[in-house]
């Protein structure tokens, strides 16, 4: 599905008309490009202390131009606001106001990243207020940005410091085109687990991954991105989608497996296929999902039960099998598709929201089972993404849904796929039990 309005306000005469009329002007987002892994332009690092020094060194090791003070009118690619030592709300002022003074110099498609510690771990109320304050500042700032720029945060939990591989992985992701549709979000790094990849453009080299619901839409895009990052990919979908599934498998030199994930033997068939073809399974992406929308007053048991069965019950059953199987690597990664409907709720989607909120509960409760083995499980919660699923929405609702985000547009399947590839990488092992929204900072609900 193409967003014609987005194309119109970015070309010639219609661009000028939109400007004069003060209409929303969503920017064309700067997405992943192999030759430009990180957003171009100097990175201004604001804040003092060990974390600021350590992250500045990390950025220099990535050949970034690092500034510790703003140079008036110099265009910036990104601003890093290091606030991990904030002990009182007053401590937020200097870094926040310095960032504000440099905002006009942030180039289109620029990035802001905060670094802080969790309020829940603060020893005293003033520190908790300061840490929670970062949340409010970041989320508001993300709403203020234009030109396709984004603002996100990294939270250092459980005493993790800036040298943790997952801090580097999160920073690399947030400063790259791979996070183009992620804004107003925090990535919590809870341990020093993980390994920096030799090549950031091949973060899944040698891994074997399975993606369910991969015949089209977001699933097909996930399969492509995992392949691009170096993984062998098994694509799974229902037999009725066999032809499309085979086309995806051929395109990415992967293998196709026709199986309905609600079947009791679905996990065993996936494990047997992975064992036979690749000898192991390292990454599971639970993407297959359905909607059967109705107001609850008109809901019937078949709509309710089928959504729960496909979207969450199947995953619970399959995860139990994966975790007890020797084919699934001890440090395996699982990423599940949730939805912003599972966080904020959505009219007509009580069944779907129950299933997607269920995914969030499942991920949080499964994370401690995987952590001791070096594994992880996380969820990605897309907002409005341009796929067959959203193409079925009424035209006006679709237009409104697109504009109601800070980036004023729907996301693309690849935006969800990039976030999933990041969470599936070894470098992200310190991110566990989290939900990452890929929603352009959708303003509906939470
Ligand atoms: P889609 O309908 O385009 O594709 C879903 C795929 O899953 C299809 O190929 C379908 O055949 C497959 N599938 C359905 N039931 C299956 C089963 N029982 N066994 C195996 N495969 C099955 O959907 P999409 O928009 O690409 O969404 C992918 C995921 O992202 C879903 O979990 C969806 O809930 C979630 N999501 C999508 C959006 C969005 O805006 N499109 C937003 C939030 C969350």
């Amino acid at each position: 599905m193409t967003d014609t309005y987005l194309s119109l306000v970015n070309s010639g005469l219609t661009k000028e008309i939109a400007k004069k009329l003060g209409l929303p002007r969503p920017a064309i987002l700067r997405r992943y490009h192999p030759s430009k892994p990180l957003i171009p332009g100097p990175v201004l690092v604001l804040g003092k202390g060990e974390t600021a020094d350590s992250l500045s060194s990390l950025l220099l090791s990535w050949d970034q131009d690092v500034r510790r003070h703003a140079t008036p009118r110099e265009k910036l690619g990104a601003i890093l606001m290091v606030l991990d030592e904030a002990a009182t709300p007053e401590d937020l002022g200097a870094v926040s106001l310095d960032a504000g003074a440099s905002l006009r110099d942030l180039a289109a498609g620029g990035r802001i990243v905060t670094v802080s510690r969790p309020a829940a771990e603060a020893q005293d109320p003033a520190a908790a207020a300061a840490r929670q304050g970062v949340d409010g500042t970041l989320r508001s700032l993300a709403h203020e940005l234009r030109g396709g720029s984004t603002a996100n945060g990294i939270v250092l939990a459980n005493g993790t410091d800036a040298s943790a591989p997952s801090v580097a992985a999160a920073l690399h992701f947030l400063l790259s085109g791979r996070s183009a549709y992620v804004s107003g979000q925090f990535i919590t790094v809870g341990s020093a687990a993980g390994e920096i990849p030799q090549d950031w453009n091949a973060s899944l080299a040698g891994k074997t991954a399975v993606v369910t619901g991969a015949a089209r839409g977001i699933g097909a895009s996930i399969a492509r991105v995992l392949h691009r990052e170096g993984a062998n990919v098994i694509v799974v979908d229902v037999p009725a989608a066999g032809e499309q599934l085979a086309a995806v498998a051929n395109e990415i030199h992967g293998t196709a497996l026709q199986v309905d994930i609600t079947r009791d033997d679905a996990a065993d068939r996936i494990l047997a296929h992975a064992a036979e073809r690749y000898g192991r399974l390292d990454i599971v992406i639970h993407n297959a999902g359905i909607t059967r929308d109705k107001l609850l007053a008109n809901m019937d048991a078949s709509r309710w039960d089928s959504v729960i069965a496909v979207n969450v019950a199947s995953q619970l059953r399959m995860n139990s099998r994966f975790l007890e199987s020797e084919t699934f690597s001890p440090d395996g990664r699982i990423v599940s598709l949730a939805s912003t409907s599972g966080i904020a709720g959505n009219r007509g989607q009580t069944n779907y929201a129950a299933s997607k909120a269920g995914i969030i509960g499942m991920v949080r409760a499964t994370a401690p089972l995987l952590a001791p083995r070096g594994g992880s499980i996380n969820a990605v919660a897309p907002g409005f993404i341009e796929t067959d699923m959203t193409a079925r929405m009424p035209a006006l609702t679709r237009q409104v849904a697109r504009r109601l985000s800070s980036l004023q547009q729907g996301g693309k399947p690849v935006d969800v796929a990039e976030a999933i590839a990041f969470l599936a990488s070894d470098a992200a092992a310190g991110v566990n039990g989290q939900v990452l929204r890929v929603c352009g900072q959708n303003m509906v609900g939470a």
Side-chain angles (χ1 to χ4, degrees):
M1 194 84 211
T2 36
D3 183 350
T4 318
Y5 180 84
L6 173 71
S7 319
L8 284 175
V9 295
N10 280 292
S11 57
L13 185 61
T14 38
K15 180 178 178 178
E16 293 309 312
I17 295 170
K19 210 172 182 177
K20 285 210 174 94
L21 293 175
L23 294 172
R25 284 185 298 133
I28 292 174
L29 303 183
R30 195 202 308 254
R31 293 187 163 87
Y32 169 86
H33 194 282
S35 68
K36 290 190 197 108
L38 296 177
I39 294 295
V43 183
L44 175 62
V45 180
L46 297 173
K48 296 190 186 82
E50 270 177 42
T51 303
D53 293 345
S54 156
L55 292 177
S56 299
S57 306
L58 179 66
L59 289 164
L60 287 168
S61 75
W62 293 342
D63 292 331
Q64 295 297 110
D65 257 345
V66 176
R67 307 275 184 270
R68 297 300 296 262
H69 298 282
T71 313
R73 285 181 295 284
E74 181 187 43
K75 274 285 172 220
L76 295 169
I79 303 173
L80 204 57
M81 299 167 64
V82 184
L83 291 158
D84 64 315
E85 293 185 4
T88 70
E90 285 85 350
D91 292 344
L92 303 179
V95 165
S96 301
L97 293 171
D98 281 353
S102 290
L103 279 183
R104 283 196 178 80
D105 295 324
L106 189 67
R111 297 285 190 268
I112 295 183
V113 180
T114 60
V115 181
S116 58
R117 293 200 177 271
E121 291 178 9
Q123 299 295 321
D124 74 297
R131 293 174 179 193
Q132 197 68 38
V134 176
D135 198 284
T137 303
L138 187 272
R139 291 183 201 275
S140 301
L141 175 52
H143 283 306
E144 290 179 13
L145 297 176
R146 286 292 172 264
S149 294
T150 63
N152 294 288
I154 298 172
V155 179
L156 308 174
N158 304 322
T160 306
D161 65 40
S163 64
S166 295
V167 173
L171 186 61
H172 200 277
F173 172 69
L174 293 174
L175 291 181
S176 76
R178 300 178 62 185
S179 60
Y181 198 61
V182 179
S183 197
Q185 308 308 314
F186 288 89
I187 296 172
T188 299
V189 178
S191 79
E195 236 176 88
I196 300 287
Q198 293 195 339
D199 178 354
W200 287 101
N201 282 339
S203 59
L204 306 178
K207 301 285 179 185
T208 297
V210 63
V211 183
T212 67
R216 65 179 197 204
I218 294 173
S221 196
I222 296 168
R224 289 185 190 107
V225 172
L226 298 190
H227 167 67
R228 184 196 79 199
E229 292 292 312
N232 299 312
V233 186
I234 303 162
V235 289
V236 168
D237 213 299
V238 288
E243 218 170 289
Q244 276 176 291
L245 188 69
V248 175
N250 284 342
E251 181 193 330
I252 62 165
H253 310 295
T255 53
L257 177 65
Q258 295 181 14
V259 60
D260 183 328
I261 56 159
T262 60
R263 285 176 55 122
D264 279 345
D265 64 352
D268 288 328
R269 289 189 53 198
I270 290 169
L271 287 164
H273 182 96
E276 189 196 319
R277 301 294 175 101
Y278 307 103
R280 57 198 262 197
L281 181 63
D282 307 297
I283 297 166
V284 173
I285 313 297
H286 289 299
N287 163 78
I290 57 168
T291 50
R292 296 287 181 271
D293 296 356
K294 273 278 175 209
L295 295 176
L296 187 58
N298 303 325
M299 185 71 70
D300 54 66
S302 110
R303 280 191 164 81
W304 184 279
D305 294 345
S306 56
V307 166
I308 298 291
V310 176
N311 292 5
V312 62
S314 66
Q315 295 192 22
L316 285 161
R317 198 167 42 245
M318 285 195 282
N319 286 349
S320 302
R321 280 294 298 123
F322 293 142
L323 289 183
E324 63 193 25
S325 157
E326 283 180 5
T327 302
F328 185 59
S329 305
D331 60 351
R333 314 237 165 278
I334 302 176
V335 188
S336 278
L337 267 288
S339 165
T340 49
S341 295
I343 299 170
N346 198 15
R347 186 181 149 83
Q349 290 201 315
T350 47
N351 52 350
Y352 183 72
S355 72
K356 295 300 187 178
I359 291 296
I360 295 171
M362 176 192 83
V363 158
R364 287 189 182 136
T366 311
L369 306 178
L370 280 154
R373 347 176 345 160
S376 71
I377 177 168
N378 292 284
V380 167
F384 180 94
I385 306 295
E386 306 278 358
T387 67
D388 289 351
M389 195 181 256
T390 47
R392 285 197 294 271
M393 289 166 82
L396 187 63
T397 317
R398 191 168 60 237
Q399 275 305 332
V400 172
R402 277 178 176 145
R403 302 307 151 224
L404 278 180
S405 71
S406 292
L407 292 168
Q408 302 175 313
Q409 60 193 287
K412 293 191 175 182
V414 69
D415 298 326
V416 181
E418 298 283 11
I420 285 170
F422 154 64
L423 290 169
S425 68
D426 275 349
V431 181
N432 194 13
Q434 306 290 312
V435 182
L436 178 58
R437 287 172 61 155
V438 181
C439 66
Q441 201 180 26
N442 199 307
M443 293 173 203
V444 180

